[in-house]
Amino acid sequence: IIWAISWRTNFSSIVAFFFIPLFTIWIAFLSIPFLQKLTSSGDYSYGIYVYSFPIQQLIIYYSSAQLNILQFLFLSFAITLPLSILSYHFIELPIIKLKKKRPTHA
């Protein structure tokens, strides 16, 4: 509310500096059933983190930067999410399972 009140004032950027991070953390800790169901099959955040930048750069390169922001976001997410899902199930999860095994000493 404080941020919304300060929206058109000279103090909006200062207020946003403090309240947007707090709002982001608050949203992150909300219990949203749809998101919990969506993420129950794995944590794809690392794959999204790893693949998003190269995918975005390729999209910019091959589209000659002609996409509007919504097209760009949709396309980059539509490509990055499947890659991160594949990465989780075929790279990350097998490595996590190996971590749980104890090495045998001879």
Side-chain angles (χ1 to χ4, degrees), residues 78-89:
I79 295 170
T80 302
L81 185 61
L83 285 175
S84 65
I85 291 170
L86 290 171
S87 174
Y88 178 79
H89 289 287

Side-chain angles (χ1 to χ4, degrees), residues 56-69:
Q56 290 166 356
Q57 295 303 302
L58 286 171
I59 291 170
I60 290 169
Y61 178 78
Y62 285 110
S63 72
S64 302
Q66 298 298 315
L67 300 174
N68 69 40
I69 189 67

